[in-house]
Amino acid sequence: RTNDTISERMHRLTKRLLRARDAEAVVAAVETSLREDFGASRWLTLLTDPAYAPLAGRPGTSVRVVPRGSAELKAFESFFESGRPRSGQVREAQREYLFGAEGREVGSAALIPLGNRASLGLLAVASHDTERFVPTMSTDFLVRIGELVTEALTARGA
C-alpha cells in the first residue's frame, strides 16, 4: 500500500511537470508537489549551472544557484562524488547551509541528485519528523524524482 501511495504521488508530480512550460514553472510544480503531495516541511533546489541564476531569489520559491566547485559546496563534496540519494540526518553544516536558521527544526532530510552524478545540483527535502527520512529507506523513488526534475529542467531550459 505504501508503494501504491508513493506511486500515485509520483504520478501527480509527473503530470505537474508535463504541464510546466518553462524552468520557472518546473520549480513551481516541484514545490507544489512537495508541499501538497509529499507533505514536505522544507525544501531547496540547489542548482550548479549559472544559466539558472534567474530562478534564484524569486518570491515564493526556494532556489539557490551556486557554481560547481564553489567553496560553499565543500560540505557536499562526497554527495556530489557519489551522485546517489541520501536520507536521514544531515550534518549540521549541511542543514544550516540548506535551510538556514529554520534548519534547527529539521528532523530528517533527503538529498536528491539532479543530473548524472548531481551535475545539475540537488534537491533537498526536509521533514520535522526524525523518522520520515532514514538511511535504511529505499531510494528508488528518490532516484526517480531526481530524474524527473532533471529532465523537466533541462527540457524547459534556464
Side-chain angles (χ1 to χ4, degrees):
R1 288 185 196 172
T2 301
N3 279 350
D4 288 343
T5 301
I6 295 171
S7 183
E8 178 60 34
R9 292 172 180 169
M10 293 288 297
H11 184 68
R12 287 194 298 265
L13 169 62
T14 302
K15 288 178 7 179
R16 290 178 199 276
L17 292 173
L18 285 170
R19 288 190 299 265
R21 296 292 172 226
D22 56 27
E24 185 176 352
V26 168
V27 169
V30 169
E31 293 185 355
T32 298
S33 189
L34 289 173
R35 181 179 53 256
E36 295 178 9
D37 301 330
F38 292 96
S41 303
R42 305 197 189 306
W43 54 84
L44 174 73
T45 304
L46 189 144
L47 300 170
T48 56
D49 185 340
Y52 290 97
L55 296 176
R58 289 186 185 257
T61 64
S62 296
V63 176
R64 190 177 304 153
V65 179
V66 180
R68 191 75 175 255
S70 170
E72 290 179 51
L73 299 181
K74 187 95 172 136
F76 300 94
E77 208 167 56
S78 65
F79 172 78
F80 284 120
E81 286 175 11
S82 77
R84 292 190 317 259
R86 289 193 185 159
S87 58
Q89 303 294 314
V90 292
R91 294 191 314 247
E92 185 176 345
Q94 291 175 327
R95 191 179 65 240
E96 287 179 9
Y97 180 77
L98 294 170
F99 306 110
E102 297 170 345
R104 287 182 286 250
E105 300 171 19
V106 170
S108 61
L111 302 181
I112 304 168
L114 299 177
N116 185 27
R117 295 181 58 110
S119 59
L120 188 60
L122 67 90
L123 176 62
V125 183
S127 174
H128 298 295
D129 182 357
T130 57
E131 299 299 313
R132 174 73 181 274
F133 300 108
V134 294
T136 56
M137 70 185 281
S138 173
T139 59
D140 293 345
F141 286 111
L142 297 178
V143 168
R144 288 188 178 104
I145 289 171
E147 289 173 349
L148 286 168
V149 173
T150 297
E151 290 299 323
L153 279 171
T154 55
R156 303 306 186 264

